[in-house]
Each structure stands twice: as structure tokens, then as C-alpha cells.
Amino acid sequence: MEESTQFAALRAAAENGPGVQFDGLYVHAGDDDYDRDGGYTFGTPEGERSNLSESEFHAAAEEYDEYVSNWYFWTHVVGGSKLKGGVDVGENRHHRRNFLRWLELADQTQHDVPGRYEALRGGLTHEWGELQITATLGEEGHRVYEIRHEDDANTPTDELETYTDPLDIRELVKYDERGQYRPLKTAPTLQTGWVLTDLDQRQVFDAVDDVVYPATVVNWNLERHGELDVNHWEETIERQSGIYGVIETWNRGDGHEHVDWVAESCCDDSQCLKRREWEYDEETELDADGGDGEFPCREPCSLVIAASRKWTRLEGEETQTYEFELTESEKEQIEDIIDAVADGRADDIREADIYEGANRYRTRFLRAKRFDGEGNLSGTPTQVDEQEGHDQEDARDGHDEEEHDGDD
Amino acid sequence: MSQALVIVAHGSHLNPDSSTPTHAHADTIRETGAFDEVKVGFWKEEPHLREVLRTVESDEVYVVPLFISEGYFTEQVIPRELRLEGWDVSQWDSDGLSADHVTLTAEDTGQQVTYCGPVGTHESMTDVLVRRAETVTGDSDVGDGFGFAVVGHGTERNENSAKAIEYHADRIREMDRFDEVQALYMDEEPEVDDVADYFESPDIVVVPLFIADGFHTQEDIPEDMGLTDDYRKGYDVPADVDGHRIWYAGAVGTEGLMADVILERAAEGGADIGDALELVRERTRGQQTVEV
Ligand code: SF4
């Protein structure tokens, strides 16, 4: 049934204008082209037959059915065809089509269609962030896809929680392994233990570009075609309004050190899998490394903006000189604690591992010894407004930002 | 030409449930098959407003803001982030309640975008408020012996937000279904704290006109009304307060029928939605509220 649908579509396409030229398949009807004298023409890299009757044409299509089903899949199932000199090269901005072709190396290798089908039968695997995506061949040229966490690459499928609808993993990807909310979808904190199977071409795209890593495929594809619109720090900050308008005041003079700190804090590969393409401005690159993720980041994200609003306020404070009494080990311990928190290791330090500065008992000991009743380190007062006032203001501020952002 | 619906909402960096109703309403509408694509975009989550349109393949896009009132977001943030060419708030010619739709081009994608007014000011939102009362009381005829309170922020931040509250309170009053109807506010008189003082009816349904449950609807309002002294302990529905039984419904935006308002906005903007409205009204009736 499907095959005759495919053949009927091919015959119609052959009779339409210049016919078909796609992935090595060449099909044409009529005598108004070159020096051919009527009938159908059917060609593949393996040779060309011309002047075919309809039944001969049908026979050729059956013999080279992989070329036919491949053409049908891309033109009638996926879509996004665009003819250039009669050849279907596909639309640059058809992100789904470009991604799917990348997933089966359609444009990256010299494989002809049978070679590619052979590879698909064995499964073609790509990584996308923490995802492992495998393309295989289904019935009659349709492709079937599977997605799992890359850390589950070698886990037998029946040991994984199996889903077949991309929307079914929406909740799962919302939380990390510890059950914490993941506000940044491209943070390297995806849970393991699940697999999405039997996906069709649209579902695999939706799973990646809508559910797990929103808009990463489209921006990656725009970038591949030289059309990615990067908005650097300066212009992004300038665009902000309402409670975020204040961030602009953080840019003073020529320095961009503060933006380097932002990028190093938030955009490092250990924190975000996007490859940061935005810089301070068009002319001024940041010193922080952009990372080597597969997909680009085109402007500071809402998390970076929200954090920068806080930093703008904090960085407006003058430095003070404090005097603290600490032993050498205590100073190092404070550094250890900062490192452990910054690297997200604090929870992993074993309860009895008192060799680690950020161990809970070690830290409680330090607090017991060095904090006074008011929670001041070494009994040295902070001197600015009372600490308590600060904290309350912060809490309120956070809610404001979350729930109405200054208005509405 | 294929058509897409894009629902845009605030989202949150802190509260994982903030986006849950948005996704749920998108799912409801997706199931009707009225649009070739149904997508969601957020200010604080991903896909961000800035990038959501490029994830849409259709050239004809209907954007419906899942916001309660006209104001900073609907007038400035959303059109700016979506890059709607030539947007000017005067195109809505609104008195603060009457924004309907305007069709513009998205600068970066070239799509034709019909930008609709927020759900909160649409007249059918009144029906959602009432449906919410039915859901929380479990009684599809609720009304007799009941007072109805619509709760909002107040004018402190945005005067249009109070207008929307009054508008729906008036419309519910006109239905003549509940014994008493009152608009109450969090930060001005008449205050939600004094809910019991404003009603004589033994039973009062309290519905906050909010899109998602969060700090205000789950912590502030229940404590302010005296449903509980600590939100972490939860509260009863109904709860006894000063001789009244308070049926506190939580954010109206979690009600399944919200999908209907979104559809109506898009349809008024010109989307061809077939019989999707009937489907949604049917399917969301008696349906468990969005789990949040
Ligand atoms: S701004 Fe930084 S943290 Fe945010 S998405 Fe881009 S690379 Fe990731």
C-alpha cells in the first residue's frame, strides 16, 4: 500500500516540470529535456535508464526502492524541499529537515543511499548536549529514532524507563537527579534512567528542540548557514527595561572584567552546555572560554540577566578593610568551602571526611569557634546596614522578580 | 498556509509549577488538532520569548499572552522580545480592558504574527472563574447560599490589573447566580484579609485571578485570610473563618477551561479553529484541575 503511494508520488513528480533530482535519484518524464526521446527516465549513481514505459519505470523504481523511499521520506514526510537548478537542496531555514539530515550524516559523508541505509540499519548515533540520539531505519524508508542520556549508552533498554511520547518526559527533565528544579534547560544535570523510543521524525525534533533543550536545534542550524543573530552583552543589557534596566549601570568605563566573571560563573561548560557566542560587544571579546558545546548561545539568557541584576547592586558597594583572626588552616578551609559550593560538590562530601575543608563537621567547628552570637566572623561587625535588613529585602526582592517583575 | 498557536507566559526560575498550567493548556489545545503547531514561550524559562517564534514552522502565528491584565508585559516586553515590527500599543486602541489583536511581522523570522490581548481581560474568563468555583466545591450548580470573591493584586503596580478584577466581578454579579460577589485585593481595600467582613453568605468561594499558583496564591493569600497560620501546614477546603466556610480555589489559571479563553483569543484574531471550542469545553468539564 505504502509502496504504491510512494510510486504514485514519484510518477507524479516525474511528470511535473524538471522531475526529481535528489540524493542521487534522477527521475523525469517526457521528451522536452536534453536529447531524450520520451517515456520515463530513471537514474541513480549506478546508471540511467531512459525511454521507459510506465511498467518499466515501475520495475526500475522497485529495483532501486531505497532511492525511492528515501526521496519520499524527505520530500513527503519531512518536507522543506527547495529546488536549485532542479536539484532538491532543501531550505536552509527548515531546521527540522537539516537536523534530521545531520542525524543520518546525509550531507556529511559520500555514502550513496544504499550505503546510508546500511549504516542506518546498524543505527547512527549522535550526541546533543547530554543526549544520545540514534537514527535507525523503519518500514518503507521511514526513520525511527531513539533518545537517551549519554550515560545510559550501554544500559540495556529494558532496564530504562521507556517513553514513546516526547511530552511524557517534560516533567522528568524539569528536575535533576536530586529532585531539584532545573531553571536552565541546558545545565548538565539531566537525569539518567529513561529512554524515548520509536520516535518519528517530528517527535525526535520536538523532543530535542521543544522539550529537552528548547530552541537549540534552530539556533544551531541558523549558525551552520551563517544566519545566527548573536546579541552581545552590551546590546542585550541595553534592551532591558523595568527592574532589569539597572544592569546597564554596571557597565562603567571600558572594562569588561565584570562580564567575564558573569560568563565564567554561569556559562562555563560545567554549568551550561551551550557554546557561548555572545561577547562583551561586537568588537570586544571576553576572556572567559565560550565552551565547546554543539549548539550556540546567542545572547545572555534570563538567568544571567536576573543574576546580573543582583550583581549590579552588590557590585555597587565599596570595599571595606576587615581584620580577621584565622589560622592558616582556617583560611584555607574557607577557600575550600567556597570551592566546594561553587563546584556543586558540597553535598558529595562524606559525613566523616574531616580531611575536606568543606566537610560539615569541620565547617560547624569553624562556625562554633569563629562566629560570635550575631553570626559575625571573628566577631568583626559588617558595619553596613544590619545584616538582617539585607536578608529580608533580598527575600522580598526575589519574590517580586519572580511573580511580577515590577509590574503586572 | 499552516497556522500555529504560541502561548506566552511569565515562567519562573524558582517555582517549577509556574509553567505547568501553560503546558497543560497547550496540550489541551494541541489535542483538538485545530493548529498545525502549538508552542509555548516564556520570559523566565525556555524557549524564551526571544526564540520561540523560530521554533515554529508555520508562517501564520497566533500569539496569546497568558497574563491577567494589560500592562508592562503585554505592551512592552512581549512585543519587544518577539520582535514584532512596528508594534505600538495604540494599535490595540484599548481602554485597559479591550485589547483584542493586531497583525504584524516578526522581524527575525518574517512570520505573520497576530498578537492577541491577554487572556485575563477576555469576557470568557468570567466563565472560567465560575467553572473554578464549580470545581472547588464539586457542585456544578454552586451559587445559592454562596458568596463569590475575585482576588487580585490591586492597583499599586498596575491599575489595569484592578480593572480586570472589577470587570469580572461585575459580570459574575450580573449572572445573578451567587448571592453576593465582591472584588478583593492583596495590597489595598477591600482587602482579602477581611474576607469574612464583606460577606453575609455562610459559604464563600475565593478565586484569585492569577495565572499560576505561587508565592501569592499558595502562601500569602491563605495566611492573610486566616485559612492557616503557616502555609507549609496547608489548609482545609472549605476552611472555617469567622463563622464562614471559605472555599479557597487557588489560581484560576490552573482551571482546564482556560484553554477555551486562549482559543477564543486566537479565533477572534482570525485563526481557523473549527470545532475546537466545543471540544475543549466538553473535555475540560469535570476534568481534574491541572495538577500543580
Ligand atoms: S547565557 Fe550562558 S548560561 Fe545562559 S544559556 Fe547562554 S551560555 Fe548558558
Side-chain angles (χ1 to χ4, degrees), chain B residues 152-155 162 166 182-194 197-198:
Chain B
H153 260 299
T155 49
E166 298 290 345
Q182 179 74 48
L184 297 175
Y185 300 99
M186 292 182 60
D187 44 18
E188 70 184 58
E189 303 264 309
E191 280 195 38
V192 67
D193 307 36
D194 311 320
D197 300 348
Y198 290 99

Side-chain angles (χ1 to χ4, degrees), chain A residues 184 186 266-267 272 274 276 278 297 299-301 304:
Chain A
L184 183 67
T186 44
C266 305
C267 308
C272 176
K274 283 189 193 174
R276 182 180 51 76
W278 56 268
C297 171
E299 70 175 36
C301 67
V304 160

Side-chain angles (χ1 to χ4, degrees), chain A residues 174-403:
Chain A
K174 206 174 192 180
Y175 302 94
D176 66 15
E177 215 79 64
R178 294 172 304 149
Q180 291 272 6
Y181 177 42
R182 303 173 62 238
L184 183 67
K185 290 255 178 15
T186 44
T189 53
L190 266 190
Q191 290 183 48
T192 55
W194 54 275
V195 62
L196 266 173
T197 60
D198 275 328
L199 304 177
D200 67 21
Q201 51 88 25
R202 189 173 284 277
Q203 288 175 313
V204 69
F205 177 74
D206 288 348
V208 177
D209 202 59
D210 280 348
V211 179
V212 184
Y213 297 131
T216 54
V217 175
V218 299
N219 285 326
W220 162 87
N221 188 48
L222 287 170
E223 183 185 47
R224 288 170 93 219
H225 291 99
E227 295 175 22
L228 185 69
D229 49 335
V230 174
N231 293 128
H232 299 289
W233 167 268
E234 268 255 81
E235 49 197 310
T236 304
I237 294 312
E238 229 169 76
R239 199 178 78 230
Q240 304 305 315
S241 58
I243 59 172
Y244 300 109
V246 67
I247 305 172
E248 227 185 323
T249 65
W250 198 12
N251 295 344
R252 300 182 197 93
D254 301 327
H256 56 77
E257 205 179 21
H258 58 300
V259 188
D260 267 308
W261 293 331
V262 172
E264 188 182 324
S265 312
C266 305
C267 308
D268 189 80
D269 277 352
S270 66
Q271 306 301 306
C272 176
L273 297 168
K274 283 189 193 174
R275 169 172 30 85
R276 182 180 51 76
E277 286 298 319
W278 56 268
E279 304 289 349
Y280 182 76
D281 61 21
E282 190 70 46
E283 277 89 50
T284 324
E285 282 201 11
L286 296 174
D287 299 329
D289 183 27
D292 7 84
E294 187 69 49
F295 35 85
C297 171
R298 41 167 302 285
E299 70 175 36
C301 67
S302 71
L303 264 173
V304 160
I305 296 295
S308 295
R309 171 174 176 252
K310 184 70 189 167
W311 283 319
T312 301
R313 292 186 172 190
L314 296 176
E315 291 296 289
E317 289 177 17
E318 295 298 323
T319 56
Q320 315 268 338
T321 305
Y322 294 103
E323 222 169 86
F324 297 115
E325 291 253 314
L326 297 172
T327 66
E328 277 175 23
S329 297
E330 284 168 350
K331 174 180 173 288
E332 279 179 359
Q333 191 190 344
I334 289 173
E335 290 156 359
D336 284 348
I337 293 168
I338 292 174
D339 274 338
V341 173
D343 297 334
R345 281 189 295 107
D347 281 348
D348 304 333
I349 294 169
R350 287 166 298 171
E351 184 132 343
D353 192 356
I354 38 137
Y355 297 95
E356 282 276 358
N359 167 268
R360 196 170 75 240
Y361 293 129
R362 283 277 304 278
T363 307
R364 290 178 65 83
F365 184 90
L366 183 70
R367 181 172 68 176
K369 177 181 170 191
R370 291 296 184 193
F371 279 22
D372 68 8
E374 262 83 63
N376 284 314
L377 183 59
S378 288
T380 311
T382 308
Q383 278 172 350
V384 271
D385 314 334
E386 287 142 44
Q387 193 60 40
E388 271 231 294
H390 256 305
D391 288 348
Q392 269 166 11
E393 183 193 302
D394 281 359
R396 188 74 220 176
D397 199 46
H399 287 304
D400 275 4
E401 194 172 311
E402 277 304 308
E403 300 217 349

Side-chain angles (χ1 to χ4, degrees), chain A residues 9-10 13-14 16-22 25-28 71 75 86-88:
Chain A
L10 185 69
N16 180 18
V20 169
Q21 280 189 71
F22 178 70
L25 175 67
Y26 177 88
V27 174
H28 173 74
W71 165 81
T75 55
V87 183
D88 185 351

Side-chain angles (χ1 to χ4, degrees), chain A residues 78 93-97 167 170-171 174-175 181 183-186 202 205-206 209-210 214-215 218-219 222 228-229 231 239-244 274 298-299 301-304 306 396 398-408, chain B residues 10-17 19-20 23-24 27 30 37-39 43-48 50-51 54-55 57 67-74 76-77 80-81 83 108-109 153 157-158 161 210 213-217 219-220:
Chain A
V78 176
R93 283 200 175 212
H94 199 288
H95 311 300
R96 178 166 45 89
R97 177 186 172 115
L167 294 181
R170 196 164 55 201
E171 281 297 302
K174 206 174 192 180
Y175 302 94
Y181 177 42
L184 183 67
K185 290 255 178 15
T186 44
R202 189 173 284 277
F205 177 74
D206 288 348
D209 202 59
D210 280 348
V218 299
N219 285 326
L222 287 170
L228 185 69
D229 49 335
N231 293 128
R239 199 178 78 230
Q240 304 305 315
S241 58
I243 59 172
Y244 300 109
K274 283 189 193 174
R298 41 167 302 285
E299 70 175 36
C301 67
S302 71
L303 264 173
V304 160
R396 188 74 220 176
H399 287 304
D400 275 4
E401 194 172 311
E402 277 304 308
E403 300 217 349
H404 20 246
D405 232 63
D407 188 327
D408 222 352
Chain B
H10 194 282
S12 166
H13 293 153
L14 298 177
N15 171 10
D17 300 327
S19 59
T20 309
H23 286 296
D27 292 349
R30 199 175 288 119
E37 298 168 271
V38 178
K39 305 261 179 175
W43 171 235
K44 286 290 180 71
E45 294 181 34
E46 298 151 285
H48 193 264
R50 194 94 173 131
E51 298 179 349
R54 61 186 64 194
T55 71
E57 290 180 5
F67 283 80
I68 284 309
S69 48
E70 293 174 28
Y72 176 60
F73 275 98
T74 59
Q76 292 185 45
V77 175
R80 178 188 77 208
E81 299 294 294
R83 302 183 230 192
D108 57 328
T109 60
H153 260 299
R157 291 169 182 282
N158 172 4
S161 119
F210 282 73
D213 274 316
F215 174 64
H216 291 308
T217 63
E219 304 176 20
D220 265 1

